[in-house]
Amino acid sequence: LASSQKPHTLFITCADSRVDPSMILQAIPGELFICKVVGNLVPAHGAAVGGVSSAVEYAVTVLGVRHVVVCGHSDCGAMRAFLHPEKLKSLKAVEAWLEHASTAIAESKDHHSHLEGDEFVEALTKENVISQLQHLRTHPSVASRMRKGDLFIHGWYYDIGEGTVSAYDEEAQRFRPLEEGGVRKAVA
């Protein structure tokens, strides 16, 4: 560990203090390159040059990770903020950052407007994971490695209360529970 790192996975998740990627994956130091950011948002390439974009580029290009996980979670404050946008008025930086979730908000309003409260927040959080996967694909380093077939991206939803993880299945267009032991196997 003192001389180099060779993580197998870039794990992008929310800055929420209850979400610990190493605990979720039962990972040892050096296995994960972790990027924690409000709302687990990944700006589309060129939309915002900053910490998330540089973490993606570095992990994919220099460290050669084989997996990228975008992981949303239950009771996400960033997603819950959309139920009460007036609370964001004094948080200008947060309000601007959350613009990277605009597609997820639109999708949720179109497809999940029948839901309320916690159910709507869960649906929005999952839509946000899907949207951030789309943003991730716009990054040249990610697109190139995916085309070569040596980089895999995953969308996960972590239920804090249950301690369970579900993964987005693109073919079925829904989240499915990872089987026991599947969390670690999914990115090993």
Side-chain angles (χ1 to χ4, degrees):
L1 286 177
S3 62
S4 69
Q5 63 174 324
K6 188 67 179 152
H8 53 70
T9 301
L10 166 59
F11 201 100
I12 303 168
T13 193
C14 188
D16 190 298
S17 62
R18 300 169 294 173
V19 180
D20 182 346
S22 294
M23 183 185 77
I24 294 169
L25 282 167
Q26 299 174 350
I28 59 173
E31 287 187 306
L32 304 176
F33 193 72
I34 299 170
C35 180
K36 291 189 79 167
V37 62
V38 171
N40 48 271
L41 301 177
V42 178
H45 178 71
V49 177
V52 178
S53 297
S54 62
V56 168
E57 184 176 70
Y58 186 77
V60 171
T61 305
V62 177
L63 297 176
V65 297
R66 295 208 21 93
H67 300 274
V68 180
V69 173
V70 176
C71 184
H73 67 91
S74 60
D75 192 37
C76 180
M79 298 300 109
R80 194 170 293 287
F82 293 112
L83 298 177
H84 305 285
E86 70 280 0
K87 292 182 178 181
L88 292 173
K89 292 300 174 201
S90 65
L91 302 170
K92 296 299 180 190
V94 174
E95 184 178 41
W97 178 249
L98 291 179
E99 283 297 315
H100 298 294
S102 60
T103 301
I105 296 161
E107 291 287 329
S108 294
K109 286 179 180 176
D110 286 349
H111 302 287
H112 307 292
S113 60
H114 62 285
L115 300 175
E116 295 180 2
D118 291 343
E119 288 181 331
F120 180 79
V121 172
E122 180 178 336
L124 172 58
T125 302
K126 289 177 177 178
E127 289 289 351
N128 185 53
V129 168
I130 296 165
S131 178
Q132 302 318 309
L133 290 174
Q134 293 168 347
H135 290 177
L136 190 59
R137 286 183 180 96
T138 69
H139 289 255
S141 58
V142 172
S144 177
R145 291 265 320 276
M146 286 183 71
R147 186 172 180 179
K148 290 177 187 173
D150 65 355
L151 180 69
F152 306 93
I153 64 173
H154 314 272
W156 288 4
Y157 176 81
Y158 173 56
D159 186 309
I160 295 171
E162 297 293 323
T164 58
V165 175
S166 55
Y168 184 62
D169 179 334
E170 282 196 69
E171 286 184 30
Q173 294 188 346
R174 68 184 183 100
F175 282 80
R176 296 178 185 241
L178 286 177
E179 297 175 18
E180 189 159 327
V183 173
R184 185 137 173 87
K185 285 182 188 176
V187 295

